[in-house]
Amino acid sequence: MRLAAIPSVDRILQDPRLAPAVARHGRLLVVAELRALLAQYRAALKSGAALPPSADAILHGLLHRLDASMQPSLRRVFNLTGTVLHTNLGRALLPREAIEAGAAALAEPSNLEYDLAAGERGERDEHLEGLLCRLTGAEAATAVNNNAGAVLLALNALAAGREVPVSRGELVEIGGSFRIPEIIAAAGCALREVGTTNRTHLADYDKAIGAHTAAILKVHASNYAVVGFTAAPPESELAQLAHARGLPFVVDLGSGSLVELERWGLPAEPTPMRSLAAGADLVTFSGDKLLGGPQAGLVVGKRELIEQLRKHPMKRALRLDKGRIAALEAVLRLYLDPARLRERLPTLRLLTRPAAQIAALAARMRPALQAWCGDKAQVDVAECASQVGSGSLPIDRLPSAALRISSAAVKPAAIAKSLRAMPIPVIGRLHEDAVWLDLRCLEDEAAFLAQFEGRTL
Ligand SMILES: *Cc1c(COP(=O)(O)O)cnc(C)c1O
């Protein structure tokens, strides 16, 4: 047994070359990582798989482990997937104004729930309600953790223990764990299925309403389209029917935009303004989808119903923290000046980026990528189509440009893996036996180029 050949923890710690690491990481972490490293060496020695390590090998191994343990889990990446609002890559990027407001709210005390004029307890919703009402035309507004939470809260507060009719064409799964039938069940309501998958008529809703009905729910099908022989009553007719039967009409818009996107040549998306004008009593939508803000679920509509949500215990459990309230307020303020919105709101800026500008960027980046690939792969500039993401219709595509990396020698999956192993991981898309890097969302050219310098595939 050569275990004695491994020096003790105390002896290694005396090596003066470790002093900077101890100063940086603290003694506790250095000792813990050193013990774990020595245990590995001992196991390898026992199994005869290795020779005793040199003092230098131990030192280098330890420094490597310390670096790895300090690497944050949540890291910056380059989103070159072509999906602008990519749920797995963090959705909307906040404008500078919102980041500064959020950081300031986290660093200092604030009037989060304090009425400065009266000198008494205030309401955290107040920082957002005025702006939301002004922008949507609603009477009242509230905000919670995310849109899934907003739907859960609205259903539980208005309809627990009773029935909610929903069209069979709207019983959708939005991705991950948001499925309409399940959220209705989780809210303690009974789903009443109405009509058919492709066609649902007002008369179907009328028949479904009975003594146990609590509200009519309409869900924007988001990332799923029913096309062809289809029918669905307009929101205005659903609102009329609901009101004639003494029920609230609730609309889950999902993404929901606060501006008409056609103005910038983008595919049309439903807006809370239009749903409210059609007679909806509550409209819910996300903060970090097309709105371009922090994760949040917004609810706008009738004052009496919003008050009901506010008083509900679930509201407390789903409430927004001060950092996001500050960031959301700053983003909503940008909407007061729609003429400058495109330059100030990153989501809108990326969605409206001209294809010719992206193609020019791709041409500039191509030589650096080709140098990284050497003669192992070819890089060319190719036309492609980006998507909005996060529940906007996947059939609406935005013309864009990509760096396409293809190779006879290296598998696309292996190239994609190398790109993900960069200091700032580069996330692309595999398509037609190549790696596609859609450059629509690449704004930091310098950081992107810098990390390819001196590296090879
Ligand atoms: C995205 C979406 C949700 C969930 O919103 P989150 O903000 O992600 O919780 C709910 N309903 C619809 C229709 C959606 O598109």
Side-chain angles (χ1 to χ4, degrees), residues 87 91 145-149 151 172 174 178 180 219-223 252-255 284-289 295-297 390-392:
T87 296
R91 288 195 188 161
N145 179 62
N146 59 4
N147 188 38
V151 176
V172 292
I174 305 293
F178 189 86
I180 292 298
V219 181
H220 179 52
S222 298
N223 52 7
D252 171 17
L253 275 191
S255 204
T284 76
F285 52 104
S286 281
D288 57 348
K289 291 186 181 173
Q295 181 189 303
S390 268
S392 294

Side-chain angles (χ1 to χ4, degrees), residues 113-395:
E113 287 182 359
Y114 188 76
D115 182 334
L116 288 172
E120 58 192 34
R121 192 184 188 289
E123 223 346 294
R124 68 174 65 202
D125 273 1
E126 245 154 50
H127 307 292
L128 301 169
E129 185 169 36
L131 279 164
L132 281 168
C133 291
R134 185 161 164 181
L135 292 166
T136 63
E139 279 174 30
T142 186
V144 290
N145 179 62
N146 59 4
N147 188 38
V151 176
L152 188 69
L153 172 64
L155 290 174
N156 191 260
L158 306 185
R162 289 188 291 154
E163 279 182 11
V164 179
V166 184
S167 166
R168 288 197 166 93
E170 297 170 6
L171 297 177
V172 292
E173 173 181 300
I174 305 293
S177 50
F178 189 86
R179 308 170 99 192
I180 292 298
E182 288 171 14
I183 209 96
I184 290 174
C189 310
L191 167 64
R192 177 75 191 247
E193 297 187 20
V194 179
T196 64
T197 307
N198 58 329
R199 292 173 71 82
T200 299
H201 307 282
L202 196 65
D204 297 322
Y205 282 95
D206 196 35
K207 269 186 285 177
I209 296 174
H212 302 293
T213 311
I216 294 182
L217 175 66
K218 180 168 175 66
V219 181
H220 179 52
S222 298
N223 52 7
Y224 163 79
V226 185
V227 291
F229 186 53
T230 65
E235 287 180 353
S236 56
E237 289 179 18
L238 284 174
Q240 266 175 29
L241 174 66
H243 298 158
R245 307 292 288 266
L247 302 170
F249 175 43
V250 179
V251 179
D252 171 17
L253 275 191
S255 204
S257 174
L258 285 179
V259 279
E260 304 281 349
L261 293 174
E262 303 94 299
R263 165 181 183 157
W264 292 281
L266 291 170
E269 270 290 324
T271 66
M273 296 77 93
R274 268 188 264 164
S275 296
L276 291 171
D281 299 293
L282 283 184
V283 182
T284 76
F285 52 104
S286 281
D288 57 348
K289 291 186 181 173
L290 281 171
L291 188 98
Q295 181 189 303
L298 307 170
V299 195
V300 296
K302 293 269 151 59
R303 174 153 303 283
E304 191 194 325
L305 299 179
I306 294 286
E307 285 303 334
Q308 233 173 297
L309 304 199
R310 259 191 207 132
K311 285 194 212 108
H312 196 280
M314 212 181 254
K315 167 68 164 63
R316 166 63 198 257
L318 293 170
R319 74 184 185 186
L320 276 179
D321 77 289
K322 59 195 177 184
R324 284 191 284 158
I325 289 177
L328 188 52
E329 183 188 353
V331 169
L332 293 175
R333 274 189 201 292
L334 298 185
Y335 278 88
L336 297 176
D337 184 5
R340 282 205 293 160
L341 194 59
R342 195 179 157 268
E343 60 186 84
R344 295 162 93 189
L345 194 70
T347 297
L348 193 57
R349 185 171 69 231
L350 294 174
L351 287 174
T352 56
R353 202 169 184 190
Q357 196 192 90
I358 305 169
L361 171 64
R364 280 203 299 284
M365 299 295 114
R366 200 199 67 80
L369 259 280
Q370 185 61 70
W372 177 71
C373 292
D375 52 14
K376 285 191 188 154
Q378 295 72 49
V379 183
D380 66 339
V381 175
E383 286 179 5
C384 67
S386 322
Q387 34 181 321
V388 179
S390 268
S392 294
L393 282 186
I395 49 182

